[in-house]
Amino acid sequence: MVDLPNGSSQKELENAFLQVILSDTQEFGVLFYNEDLSITGWNNGAQFITGWAADEVIGQPTGMLFLPEDRQNKLDVHEAQLARVVGAAQDERWHIRKDSARYWSSGVSLPLSGTDGQPNGFVKVFRDATHLRTRTQYLENLVQEADVQMSEKNVFIGTIAHEMRNPLSPLKSAVELIKRSAGDNAGHLHLIGIIDRQINFLDRLVEDLIGLTRVQTGKLSIAYENVVLQEVLFEVLNSSRESATAKGIVIWEVMPPVPIYVDVDFRRFQQVILNLLNNAIKYTAAGGNVWLTATVDQTHFLCYVKDDGQGIGDSLLPKIFEVFTQADTRKASRGEGLGIGLAVVKEIVSLHQGNVEVKSDGEGKGSEFIVRLPLHRPFAFGSEPLVNGPS
């Protein structure tokens, strides 16, 4: 530790700094080398880090500090040339100690000039950052392991989804045949209705699972069509009314009075609204209300799905669109199911270059999802946009 009285001169401060860097510190190594890369100066920090004493390295080439493979690639020469031309050469790589152990060096080489202004060598300041490199490597390994696990999970989910899809088609056909032969038997019709609703639920679940794997592998794509917004929304409404009626939930719809033509992926957009509408029905108590409304401005159209149901808590609200968020929630409200539908909703909306947001005043106070999408398909330079309106 160097004590300096107040009012010390600039020269005294410089000398004190040099004493700390060149003599006292063990944290930073300092070496000087000349134009032919021979070491000319060596401080205590350099000896502490590398194990070599000054009399063992003075006159030796700087290449002795580099790994054999780096010497073979002449990285010692490259470092000096970089410092000479650019003015500084950053050095972050493995170097070698006297005992042949490796350490991660983080440092910089700077050119030096003589009194005549001509370059006469270099100074390199470095430190042992092995502990930082080890931590970084550990984190990189964790990320790599997580990527592998995610890939394996995607394969597993995709396989399960496709295996589930196979028996659904014959089940649907069987239910239709049973409906035809059931006649007017109210008891049978009630049971068939239950089976039909559960099959439809499984069908949506499979679509969400397949959509999830496509999202996470970057394979989810959209195919634009020019459609009437109200027709899409009423088709979704018709498919959801039965489940709403079964719970005594009233669905209110408010649409623009004239046809609104929009460019969307018809099936994907239906999937978005169906997911939101079914969620609203699912999390609304018997006798409650659900609203599906739409509007349009100069560039976008907006769809609102609102309910007076269970609402969303403050802790869940910021991550409601994350994959498996609901599966990690231990509460029954907004915590049932796999929690993948909203993640797929967000991805589909993003692919349309739109956005989706959620509002809720808290648990028990209902919720509202707002989807905002461009009216027209974004198109690249040189491509033709879809014609808006009926052909």
Side-chain angles (χ1 to χ4, degrees):
M1 184 70 180
V2 179
D3 292 323
L4 289 173
N6 292 333
S8 299
S9 68
Q10 181 67 28
K11 189 64 175 178
E12 288 174 321
L13 291 174
E14 292 175 358
N15 290 337
F17 176 75
L18 290 175
Q19 179 182 336
V20 171
I21 292 297
L22 298 181
S23 302
D24 296 342
T25 185
Q26 292 182 331
E27 295 294 322
F28 292 93
V30 180
L31 70 98
F32 296 87
Y33 57 101
N34 58 25
E35 286 288 321
D36 65 4
L37 308 189
S38 296
I39 298 173
T40 58
W42 192 255
N43 80 332
N44 290 336
Q47 178 174 340
F48 179 78
I49 293 171
T50 68
W52 278 296
D55 58 0
E56 295 177 294
V57 298
I58 298 298
Q60 298 297 319
T62 58
M64 67 179 293
L65 306 173
F66 286 73
L67 300 183
E69 56 267 34
D70 288 343
R71 284 199 300 270
Q72 184 176 354
N73 291 326
K74 297 187 180 299
L75 294 186
D76 51 336
V77 177
H78 175 71
E79 183 177 293
Q81 178 66 6
L82 192 61
R84 183 184 298 110
V85 174
V86 178
Q90 301 288 335
D91 176 47
E92 297 226 353
R93 70 180 70 254
W94 291 106
H95 281 270
I96 194 167
R97 303 184 199 272
K98 181 179 179 180
D99 60 5
S100 298
R102 297 185 177 194
Y103 69 98
W104 185 261
S105 174
S106 176
V108 60
S109 285
L110 303 169
L112 297 174
S113 299
T115 54
D116 57 358
Q118 296 300 312
N120 66 352
F122 305 88
V123 60
K124 180 173 182 176
V125 181
F126 63 97
R127 64 175 301 200
D128 181 355
T130 305
H131 61 297
L132 297 178
R133 178 59 182 171
T134 302
R135 292 176 190 171
T136 302
Q137 188 65 55
Y138 172 72
L139 294 175
E140 289 173 352
N141 291 339
L142 287 180
V143 171
Q144 187 174 10
E145 290 174 8
D147 288 342
V148 171
Q149 291 174 359
M150 179 63 73
S151 178
E152 292 174 349
K153 184 183 73 176
N154 288 338
V155 171
F156 174 75
I157 292 174
T159 302
I160 292 295
H162 284 287
E163 289 298 321
M164 289 175 63
R165 174 183 270 178
N166 292 333
L168 281 176
S169 181
L171 282 174
K172 291 178 182 177
S173 300
V175 168
E176 289 301 318
L177 291 174
I178 295 173
K179 283 181 181 178
R180 296 174 188 175
S181 61
D184 296 329
N185 189 310
H188 288 175
L189 291 174
H190 174 70
L191 294 174
I192 292 170
I194 293 175
I195 295 172
D196 197 23
R197 285 194 296 273
Q198 296 307 311
I199 288 175
N200 287 333
F201 170 77
L202 287 174
D203 195 30
R204 291 194 298 269
L205 177 60
V206 168
E207 288 302 314
D208 282 346
L209 287 170
I210 292 174
L212 174 65
T213 58
R214 288 173 177 165
V215 166
Q216 296 187 334
T217 56
K219 295 180 180 179
L220 188 65
S221 60
I222 54 176
Y224 281 97
E225 299 177 55
N226 190 240
V227 299
V228 177
L229 174 62
Q230 292 93 325
E231 292 178 1
V232 181
L233 297 180
F234 279 121
E235 189 170 326
V236 173
L237 277 169
N238 290 334
S239 66
S240 299
R241 284 195 191 278
E242 186 177 350
S243 58
T245 302
K247 292 182 67 176
I249 293 173
V250 179
I251 300 181
W252 307 84
E253 69 269 1
V254 182
M255 310 288 175
V258 298
I260 303 299
Y261 289 89
V262 297
D263 297 337
V264 293
D265 183 315
F266 178 84
R267 190 172 69 86
R268 297 293 186 198
F269 178 60
Q270 269 197 329
Q271 188 178 358
V272 167
I273 303 302
L274 189 60
N275 252 312
L276 297 179
L277 195 57
N278 286 335
N279 261 7
I281 295 169
K282 179 179 180 179
Y283 295 112
T284 299
N289 298 276
V290 171
W291 293 264
L292 175 61
T293 62
T295 189
V296 62
D297 60 26
Q298 287 76 19
T299 58
H300 291 74
F301 67 94
L302 295 89
C303 298
Y304 302 81
V305 179
K306 183 179 179 180
D307 64 70
D308 56 7
Q310 295 176 358
I312 306 171
D314 291 340
S315 61
L316 183 59
L317 196 61
K319 54 183 181 179
I320 193 69
F321 293 107
E322 295 178 10
V323 178
F324 299 127
T325 290
Q326 293 183 5
D328 292 337
T329 304
R330 297 295 180 256
K331 296 183 179 179
S333 62
R334 299 281 171 182
E336 300 171 349
L338 293 178
I340 59 178
L342 293 180
V344 176
V345 163
K346 183 179 180 181
E347 184 66 18
I348 293 174
V349 170
S350 296
L351 287 172
H352 281 84
Q353 297 188 26
N355 65 280
V356 57
E357 60 178 303
V358 59
K359 297 178 180 179
S360 179
D361 291 331
E363 294 184 16
K365 297 182 179 180
S367 60
E368 182 178 29
F369 288 83
I370 305 164
V371 176
R372 187 172 188 266
L373 297 180
L375 276 170
H376 306 297
R377 172 186 182 178
F379 61 98
F381 178 78
S383 65
E384 294 295 329
L386 296 176
V387 176
N388 191 42
S391 57

